[in-house]
Amino acid sequence: MRILLTGATGLIGRELGQRLAARGDTLVCLVRDVHAARRRLPFPADCHVWDHGREVPAAALAGVDAVVHLAGEPVADARWNAHKKALIRDSRVLGTRQLVRAVVLHGAGVKAFVHGSASGFHGERGDERLTAASTKGDGFLPDVVEAWEAELLPLRQRRPDVRVPIVRTGIVLAREGGALAEMLPLFRLSAAGRLGRGRQWMSWIHLDDITRLFLHALDAPATGVLEGVAPQPVTNREFTASLCRSLGVFENLAAPPLAVQTLFGERAAIVLGSTRLEPAATLASGFEFNFASLATALDDLLLPLRGGVCERRWAQWLPHPPQAVWPFFCDANNLEEITPPFLGFHVLGSSTPEIGAGTLIDYRIKLNGIPLNWQTRIDVWDPPRRFVDLQARGPYALWHHTHDFAPLGGGTTMRDTVRYRLPAGWLGTAAGGRLVASWVDRIFDFRARKIDERFGS
């Protein structure tokens, strides 16, 4: 199929796009910045510039068989003021209006329009057990979701041949990105606990399952509203205890509701509100969850991070096969080209003429302007698919960098996974955790740009 995808650079969009491309589908993506998207998308796609304030290019609908609509201004990333609330609403309501209009006018071949919505439709409901059939709640977010979904009505009226499933997504749990990633820095230090009394219900879902649910909505005959939540919602008290157990840390004192409201402002309703949503319609549609229990989901995500280990992942697609990309990384000196200047990175030499398993490579770097020597060892060397380097001597208590080169869509998805731990245990994490995380992100943002300049299209 040829699929038009919005929100492709988001948490769900990146995962969904990879799975669609891997099974042979062709992707068309609507993005704000084509060049930035090319560095961030881990799959091949034909990208068109678009945002909610402009019409969808007619060319983007050419030959499209289905639409998956995930775009929308993030809700929980900043305090709400009048401008932020307008963006939250308009990016969804006006954006969906533009997309529906384009499908009606230019999407003659579209047979399915999968709409990504939100469990915020139900609002604060205490202990009430909810499903897709339950009524709308009160407040800003329920009103936004109602208006958002109402924009699908012209599509149903004018194109009754188009299937329109709606997925109301709950709290997505992922190692990087989403609510869980925001919680981790404080929980790593055993400096966080439940929110308020912890009695509020949390309707959550593992990233793997929500990605599979969107595929299910795209492929299965199901229509109407599907609940994008796992079968076992939990209270915040239960969630906090399970998170601490999986991460191997202690639970700290609860955060008083007044403190949460002061810190978050109006958006405190997201974390203090109670929504006990259960996936009745989703299960009835034939969908099966891989992560039905919170303990299983958090163990999958957090056990690798025990002991103060941090992880960062990057992926980008390059329009060349692995055999064409690999040789660049066989020369350690090329690492200088793709490392940002602030690190003062220089290769001093290696223990073997050619890189292979067991090769030791010596570098000089600067951290906060202080020159340091660093040595890594090639632990795995599997051309042209994978290599792994470990810190043999240097500033980290652990540095483990996996480079994967996977063929996809006639090119290569290059994935970097870095697992690191700072010295001095929790003290080192408390003192330098955020700073080092920002350094690592800057390094790989620079790296992505340089690699795109060399290998991109």
Side-chain angles (χ1 to χ4, degrees):
M1 288 195 295
R2 185 172 179 85
I3 298 169
L4 177 66
L5 177 64
T6 73
T9 60
L11 181 64
I12 298 172
R14 284 166 57 87
E15 292 295 319
L16 180 61
Q18 289 181 82
R19 299 196 188 199
L20 290 169
R23 73 181 197 176
D25 292 323
T26 302
L27 277 299
V28 181
C29 296
L30 299 180
V31 299
R32 293 183 180 183
D33 184 328
V34 170
H35 297 291
R38 193 175 65 199
R39 296 192 298 268
R40 297 181 62 191
L41 293 180
F43 52 85
D46 178 12
C47 293
H48 296 260
V49 176
W50 177 74
D51 62 44
H52 69 271
R54 68 179 77 187
E55 292 184 358
V56 175
L61 273 299
V64 167
D65 303 297
V67 174
V68 181
H69 182 31
L70 303 176
E73 175 74 11
V75 171
D77 66 331
R79 289 176 69 93
W80 292 351
N81 53 29
H83 176 68
K84 177 67 173 180
K85 290 170 72 173
L87 275 177
I88 290 172
R89 178 183 174 85
D90 292 349
S91 64
R92 289 164 171 77
V93 177
L94 301 184
T96 302
R97 186 179 303 169
Q98 296 280 17
L99 190 55
V100 165
R101 182 182 297 145
V103 171
V104 170
L105 294 177
H106 310 296
V110 174
K111 299 303 179 186
F113 187 110
V114 182
H115 181 69
S117 188
S119 63
F121 174 85
H122 300 287
E124 161 61 52
R125 303 294 278 270
D127 293 331
E128 182 181 355
R129 302 179 77 140
L130 306 167
T131 68
S134 300
T135 57
K136 181 183 85 73
D138 297 320
F140 171 68
L141 285 181
D143 290 346
V144 167
V145 177
E146 181 183 47
W148 188 13
E149 294 180 1
E151 293 297 332
L152 299 172
L153 183 59
L155 181 60
R156 293 191 177 102
Q157 292 174 334
R158 299 181 62 179
R159 289 290 306 276
D161 59 311
V162 176
R163 195 168 52 82
V164 188
I166 297 172
V167 179
R168 289 184 184 154
T169 304
I171 300 169
V172 178
L173 302 183
R175 199 175 296 163
E176 289 193 356
L180 184 61
E182 290 189 13
M183 300 176 194
L184 285 180
L186 287 178
F187 274 101
R188 285 181 183 279
L189 301 172
S190 295
R194 67 181 186 273
L195 300 174
R197 293 181 296 175
R199 296 178 182 175
Q200 66 271 32
W201 287 90
M202 301 175 65
S203 299
W204 60 274
I205 188 167
H206 193 291
L207 177 59
D208 174 75
D209 279 335
I210 191 62
T211 305
R212 292 175 51 252
L213 180 55
F214 273 101
L215 287 171
H216 173 76
L218 182 64
D219 296 337
T223 189
V225 178
L226 300 173
E227 308 95 344
V229 296
Q232 299 177 22
V234 295
T235 64
N236 178 258
R237 181 188 296 270
E238 294 168 332
F239 182 91
T240 301
S242 187
L243 189 159
C244 290
R245 180 195 59 80
S246 294
L247 197 56
V249 298
F250 296 106
E251 181 178 342
N252 210 310
L253 297 176
L258 181 59
V260 176
Q261 290 167 352
T262 301
L263 179 64
F264 288 93
E266 189 178 351
R267 70 184 175 119
I270 299 174
V271 295
L272 294 178
S274 180
T275 305
R276 189 179 184 179
L277 183 61
E278 299 173 354
T282 297
L283 291 171
S285 74
F287 183 78
E288 297 181 359
F289 288 84
N290 285 340
F291 298 93
S293 75
L294 181 66
T296 303
L298 289 180
D299 280 353
D300 176 73
L301 295 168
L302 300 181
L303 286 183
L305 304 184
R306 280 191 163 203
V309 174
C310 299
E311 183 176 277
R312 286 288 190 273
R313 297 182 183 184
W314 295 264
Q316 65 187 120
W317 185 83
L318 305 173
H320 307 280
Q323 304 93 294
V325 176
W326 179 272
F328 178 80
F329 297 91
C330 294
D331 184 348
N333 293 301
N334 288 333
L335 295 179
E336 294 185 11
E337 178 185 337
I338 59 175
T339 303
F342 82 88
L343 270 185
F345 183 91
H346 295 289
V347 177
L348 301 179
S350 61
S351 63
T352 59
E354 295 184 355
I355 296 179
T359 297
L360 295 172
I361 305 174
D362 291 292
Y363 316 91
R364 179 171 289 122
I365 61 173
K366 289 183 180 179
L367 294 180
N368 271 356
I370 302 173
L372 297 171
N373 289 331
W374 193 14
Q375 184 182 75
T376 61
R377 182 182 74 250
I378 302 298
D379 191 53
V380 175
W381 189 257
D382 184 16
R385 297 181 299 177
R386 191 176 195 234
F387 71 95
V388 179
D389 58 88
L390 306 175
Q391 176 189 276
R393 185 177 65 251
Y396 294 91
L398 167 72
W399 179 273
H400 182 282
H401 185 178
T402 300
H403 313 248
D404 287 303
F405 303 81
L408 180 66
T412 300
T413 295
M414 191 178 72
R415 296 185 179 90
D416 289 277
T417 304
V418 172
R419 302 180 70 240
Y420 66 92
R421 185 172 61 243
L422 300 182
W426 69 269
L427 284 174
T429 300
R434 288 188 179 275
L435 178 61
V436 172
S438 70
W439 285 345
V440 175
D441 287 342
R442 286 173 62 191
I443 290 169
F444 281 89
D445 284 343
F446 182 90
R447 176 187 175 95
R449 288 196 299 271
K450 288 298 183 179
I451 290 174
D452 180 64
E453 290 172 5
R454 175 174 284 269
F455 295 106
S457 62

Coordinates of all heavy atoms in Angstrom, one line a residue, residues 21 23 29 54 65 78 93 101 215 223 235 237 246 248 268 276 282 291-292 305 320 347 367 371 377 414 424:
A21 N 7.3 0.3 6.4 CA 8.3 0.1 5.4 C 8.9 -1.3 5.4 O 9.2 -1.8 4.3 CB 9.4 1.2 5.6
R23 N 7.5 -4.0 6.0 CA 6.6 -5.0 5.3 C 6.3 -4.7 3.9 O 5.5 -5.4 3.2 CB 5.2 -5.1 6.1 CG 4.3 -3.9 5.9 CD 3.1 -4.1 6.8 NE 2.0 -3.2 6.3 CZ 0.8 -3.2 6.8 NH1 0.5 -4.0 7.8 NH2 -0.1 -2.3 6.4
C29 N 5.0 11.3 3.8 CA 4.9 12.0 5.1 C 4.7 13.5 4.9 O 5.4 14.1 4.1 CB 6.2 11.7 5.9 SG 6.4 10.0 6.3
R54 N -1.9 25.3 6.7 CA -1.9 25.4 5.2 C -2.6 24.2 4.6 O -2.8 23.2 5.3 CB -0.5 25.5 4.7 CG 0.3 24.2 5.0 CD 1.7 24.4 4.4 NE 2.6 25.2 5.3 CZ 3.8 25.6 5.0 NH1 4.3 25.3 3.8 NH2 4.5 26.3 5.8
D65 N -3.4 4.9 -0.8 CA -4.4 4.0 -0.5 C -5.0 4.2 0.9 O -6.1 3.8 1.2 CB -3.8 2.5 -0.6 CG -3.2 2.2 -1.9 OD1 -4.0 2.2 -2.9 OD2 -2.0 2.0 -2.0
A78 N 4.9 21.5 28.2 CA 5.1 22.8 28.7 C 3.8 23.3 29.4 O 2.7 22.7 29.2 CB 5.4 23.8 27.5
V93 N -7.6 20.2 15.5 CA -8.9 20.5 14.8 C -8.7 21.0 13.4 O -9.3 20.5 12.4 CB -9.7 21.5 15.7 CG1 -11.0 21.8 14.9 CG2 -10.0 20.9 17.0
R101 N -10.3 17.5 4.1 CA -10.7 18.2 2.9 C -9.8 17.7 1.7 O -10.3 17.5 0.6 CB -10.5 19.7 3.1 CG -10.8 20.5 1.8 CD -10.6 22.0 2.1 NE -11.4 22.5 3.2 CZ -11.0 23.4 4.1 NH1 -9.8 23.9 4.0 NH2 -11.8 23.8 5.0
L215 N -1.4 -0.5 13.3 CA -1.3 -1.4 12.2 C -2.6 -2.2 12.1 O -3.1 -2.5 11.0 CB -0.1 -2.4 12.3 CG 1.3 -1.8 12.1 CD1 2.4 -2.8 12.5 CD2 1.4 -1.4 10.6
T223 N -13.8 -0.6 12.6 CA -14.1 0.8 12.4 C -14.6 1.3 13.8 O -14.6 0.6 14.7 CB -15.0 1.1 11.3 OG1 -15.1 2.5 11.0 CG2 -16.4 0.6 11.6
T235 N -3.6 2.4 39.4 CA -3.6 3.6 40.1 C -2.1 4.2 40.1 O -1.2 3.4 39.8 CB -4.0 3.5 41.6 OG1 -3.1 2.7 42.3 CG2 -5.4 2.9 41.7
R237 N -0.4 5.1 42.5 CA 0.3 4.4 43.6 C 0.9 3.1 43.1 O 2.1 2.8 43.3 CB -0.6 4.2 44.8 CG 0.0 3.5 46.0 CD -1.0 3.1 47.0 NE -1.7 4.3 47.6 CZ -1.2 4.9 48.7 NH1 -0.1 4.5 49.3 NH2 -1.9 6.0 49.1
S246 N 11.0 -2.2 39.0 CA 11.6 -2.5 37.7 C 13.0 -1.8 37.6 O 13.9 -2.3 37.1 CB 10.7 -2.2 36.6 OG 9.6 -3.0 36.5
G248 N 14.8 -0.7 40.1 CA 15.7 -1.1 41.2 C 16.1 0.1 42.0 O 17.2 0.2 42.5
A268 N -1.7 20.3 35.2 CA -1.7 19.3 36.3 C -2.9 18.3 36.2 O -2.8 17.2 36.7 CB -1.7 20.0 37.6
R276 N -10.0 5.7 34.1 CA -9.9 4.2 34.1 C -10.5 3.6 32.9 O -11.6 3.1 32.9 CB -10.6 3.7 35.4 CG -10.4 2.2 35.7 CD -11.1 1.8 37.0 NE -10.8 0.5 37.3 CZ -11.3 -0.1 38.4 NH1 -12.1 0.6 39.2 NH2 -11.1 -1.4 38.6
T282 N -11.3 -2.7 21.6 CA -10.1 -3.1 21.0 C -10.0 -4.7 21.1 O -9.6 -5.3 20.1 CB -8.9 -2.5 21.7 OG1 -9.0 -1.1 21.5 CG2 -7.6 -3.0 21.2
F291 N 1.9 -6.8 25.8 CA 2.2 -6.3 27.2 C 0.9 -5.9 27.9 O 0.5 -4.8 27.9 CB 3.2 -5.1 27.2 CG 4.5 -5.5 26.6 CD1 4.7 -5.2 25.2 CD2 5.5 -6.0 27.3 CE1 5.9 -5.5 24.6 CE2 6.7 -6.3 26.8 CZ 7.0 -6.1 25.4
A292 N 0.2 -6.9 28.5 CA -1.1 -6.7 29.1 C -0.9 -6.2 30.5 O -1.8 -5.6 31.1 CB -1.9 -8.0 29.1
L305 N 18.1 -0.6 32.3 CA 18.5 0.7 32.8 C 18.9 0.7 34.3 O 19.2 1.7 34.9 CB 17.5 1.8 32.6 CG 17.0 2.0 31.2 CD1 16.0 3.2 31.1 CD2 18.2 2.2 30.2
H320 N 21.3 4.2 0.5 CA 22.3 3.4 -0.1 C 22.3 2.0 0.7 O 22.0 2.0 1.9 CB 23.7 4.0 0.1 CG 23.8 5.4 -0.4 ND1 24.0 5.7 -1.8 CD2 23.7 6.6 0.2 CE1 24.0 7.0 -2.0 NE2 23.8 7.6 -0.8
V347 N 41.7 11.4 16.7 CA 42.1 10.0 16.8 C 43.6 10.0 16.9 O 44.3 10.6 16.1 CB 41.7 9.3 15.5 CG1 42.2 7.8 15.6 CG2 40.1 9.3 15.4
L367 N 36.2 17.6 27.7 CA 34.9 17.7 28.4 C 35.0 18.9 29.3 O 35.9 19.0 30.1 CB 34.7 16.4 29.3 CG 34.5 15.1 28.6 CD1 34.3 14.0 29.5 CD2 33.3 15.2 27.6
P371 N 41.1 18.5 28.6 CA 41.6 17.4 27.7 C 41.7 16.1 28.4 O 42.2 16.0 29.6 CB 42.9 17.9 27.2 CG 43.4 18.9 28.2 CD 42.2 19.5 28.8
R377 N 37.5 -0.2 22.7 CA 37.8 -1.5 22.1 C 36.7 -2.0 21.3 O 35.5 -1.9 21.7 CB 38.1 -2.6 23.2 CG 38.5 -4.0 22.7 CD 38.7 -5.0 23.8 NE 37.4 -5.4 24.4 CZ 37.0 -5.1 25.6 NH1 37.7 -4.3 26.4 NH2 35.8 -5.5 26.0
M414 N 20.3 3.2 9.7 CA 21.5 3.1 10.5 C 21.0 3.5 11.9 O 20.4 4.6 12.2 CB 22.5 4.1 10.1 CG 23.9 3.9 10.8 SD 25.1 5.1 10.1 CE 24.5 6.6 10.8
A424 N 30.9 7.5 40.1 CA 30.4 8.0 41.4 C 28.9 7.7 41.7 O 28.3 8.4 42.5 CB 30.7 9.5 41.6

